[in-house]
Amino acid sequence: MILFLASRPVTAPPVRPAAPVRSTRRVPPVRPARRVRPPGFRFPAPYRRLFSVPGTRAFTAANLLARLPMGMLSVSAVLMIAATRGSYALAGAVTATGLAATALVGPLTARLIDRHGQARIAVPASVFAVLGSLSLLLCIHCHAPTWTLFASYAATATTPNTGGMSRARWAHLFRDDPAARHTANSFEQAADELCFMLGPVLATFLCTALFPEAGTLVAAACFLTGVLLFAAQRRTEPPVTARTPGRPGSRARSRTPLRLPGLPPLLLTFLATGAIFGSLEVVTVAFADAHGARSAAGAMLALQAAGSCAAGLLYGLLPPTTGPAHHLRRFRRCVGAMAALMLLPLLAARTGSLTALTCALLLAGMATAPTMVTGMGLIQSRTPAARLNEGMTLSVTALLAGIATGSAAGGYAVDYAVPAAAAALACVLALLTTRPPR
């Protein structure tokens, strides 16, 4: 019996699972590992903060599409008129007429935008300006009399200041956040430089590779589409301020920005800064042509704009000014740095080297954007919110007048001493810009 029992296989009893032991320690849930992005993949925090606000990406993209033709229209008109009429003098006279008309009509258009809203005024004004461009194209194509070219291009003066409208939206969205406004102004200035860097290159390619009218057609289509998309973004549009005659401060809001304290010297500084831009462009083209490299002039000016664009983005990462006095001191320092760096092209041109001149233009351009950003910030701080578009359009008008004056002076002298002298004049005028009374 014992042997029989020993020969049987012994089976172990089934093992029951132990009761779970409850612990008072709380175990955090397991989360999937976050994907590590390579360095430099994301925008810096100040710019991410701007575009995290709902609606900012939409109106910025539409405004960039509307702003790109600003660097295309005049170049396209010059190439189109010169190719069909065989006269650069006539092309220059037509574009100068349009520039003068814009200087007169632009502030009036901006005043209407301030009073009635961006979408209500910018759309019909843009349609009228596009009709002027198309009229110029038809007059060229149908060999119309010369005076029709001047009349058609003068009709484009109703073009609204798209950059000013975008800056007005940033100022409204971040009206209580000076740091965000400073970053937004830096971004807008970099966008201006980018559009004026790519616009002439695109216009030249379209007019030479396709047909002379291609640049004007593409610029008009992009401009009108961009303005329509921009005006459709109503939730970020600044509200129209009602004008009440008996309200305290209504007289200050109804006063033209030209009569505001401290603004006329600032506009004169913008005038001198525009003279730097206009003379620098003409003198650079003439210098490259004299050295047998006229085709390289576009690349040299593009590098100058690229330096300004990069400096504008970097300037937006700096902390903003802490008060009006600090803001004014920073503006004077920026203008002084611009005046000092404008001596570099003058010295490089004396060497006769295109490489040295290109490097000098790149460095000189890096002081332009900080000056413009700080100057635009001063205009915003000294202009009532109800007249903000008009104030910024007046600064653009001063720039355009300065560009026209600088182009004429640069074409007459053909020397880099002209932009250097304009920068020195801007520095003197900046010292005259006083702090406005509270």
Side-chain angles (χ1 to χ4, degrees):
M1 186 65 180
I2 296 173
L3 294 175
F4 174 76
L5 293 175
S7 63
R8 294 182 61 183
V10 180
T11 57
V15 179
R16 295 181 179 180
V21 179
R22 295 184 179 182
S23 174
T24 58
R25 184 179 180 182
R26 190 172 182 180
V27 180
V30 179
R31 297 180 180 178
R34 298 183 63 181
R35 187 176 179 182
V36 180
R37 296 183 178 180
F41 184 80
R42 303 176 65 183
F43 285 106
Y47 292 102
R48 292 202 310 269
R49 182 185 176 191
L50 289 183
F51 295 107
S52 63
V53 178
T56 55
R57 297 183 183 183
F59 88 75
T60 299
N63 191 270
L64 288 177
L65 181 61
R67 203 185 309 188
L68 180 61
M70 298 296 101
M72 297 176 59
L73 287 171
S74 59
V75 178
S76 300
V78 169
L79 294 175
M80 180 175 61
I81 296 173
T84 54
R85 297 296 176 97
S87 173
Y88 278 99
L90 176 62
V94 171
T95 54
T97 301
L99 185 66
T102 303
L104 294 176
V105 180
L108 301 178
T109 305
R111 183 178 300 178
L112 292 176
I113 290 176
D114 285 328
R115 290 182 180 179
H116 304 286
Q118 294 182 356
R120 197 173 172 185
I121 301 298
V123 172
S126 301
V127 170
F128 192 83
V130 168
L131 290 178
S133 297
L134 297 179
S135 174
L136 175 66
L137 189 148
L138 291 177
C139 291
I140 291 292
H141 186 73
C142 299
H143 304 283
T146 303
W147 66 268
T148 59
L149 308 183
F150 290 90
S152 298
Y153 204 71
T156 63
T158 60
T159 302
N161 181 14
T162 52
M165 291 192 297
S166 183
R167 288 179 173 91
R169 295 200 178 204
W170 291 118
H172 167 65
L173 293 174
F174 297 104
R175 52 191 176 275
D176 299 326
D177 193 342
R181 289 201 308 270
H182 167 72
T183 305
N185 286 333
S186 301
F187 172 79
E188 291 296 327
Q189 186 59 39
D192 282 340
E193 299 293 343
L194 182 64
C195 291
F196 280 98
M197 179 177 64
L198 298 179
V201 177
L202 181 59
T204 304
F205 171 76
L206 292 173
C207 293
T208 55
L210 299 180
F211 49 92
E213 296 86 359
T216 302
L217 281 175
V218 173
C222 291
F223 172 68
L224 186 57
T225 304
V227 170
L228 292 177
L229 293 176
F230 179 80
Q233 310 300 321
R234 302 300 296 269
R235 60 177 175 175
T236 55
E237 181 179 356
V240 178
T241 305
R243 303 176 64 189
T244 306
R247 196 173 182 180
S250 60
R251 175 178 293 183
R253 286 194 297 271
S254 61
R255 186 188 304 175
T256 175
L258 287 175
R259 299 177 58 186
L260 293 175
L263 203 60
L266 189 57
L267 293 178
L268 290 177
T269 307
F270 274 78
L271 180 70
T273 306
I276 299 173
F277 300 154
S279 59
L280 199 66
E281 181 177 354
V282 174
V283 175
T284 300
V285 173
F287 184 88
D289 191 13
H291 288 74
R294 187 177 185 180
S295 58
M300 296 167 66
L301 292 173
L303 283 176
Q304 187 261 342
S308 180
C309 179
L313 292 176
L314 293 176
Y315 187 73
L317 302 178
L318 296 178
T321 54
T322 56
H326 185 202
H327 200 163
L328 183 59
R329 286 196 300 269
R330 181 178 288 188
F331 175 68
R332 290 171 175 173
R333 291 170 186 170
C334 290
V335 177
M338 182 177 64
L341 289 178
M342 279 300 160
L343 295 174
L344 296 179
L346 177 63
L347 299 176
R350 298 294 186 263
T351 64
S353 172
L354 288 176
T355 304
L357 180 60
T358 303
C359 296
L361 288 174
L362 177 65
L363 294 176
M366 298 185 72
T368 302
T371 302
M372 295 297 300
V373 170
T374 315
M376 284 293 183
L378 278 176
I379 288 181
Q380 289 183 11
S381 64
R382 298 184 178 192
T383 306
R387 310 298 291 271
L388 189 56
N389 281 286
E390 185 179 356
M392 288 187 292
T393 302
L394 284 173
S395 67
V396 175
T397 301
L399 281 174
L400 293 177
I403 290 173
T405 305
S407 298
Y412 177 78
V414 193
D415 196 337
Y416 280 100
V418 177
L425 178 61
C427 188
V428 173
L429 292 173
L431 296 177
L432 298 178
T433 303
T434 57
R435 179 180 177 181
R438 293 185 179 181

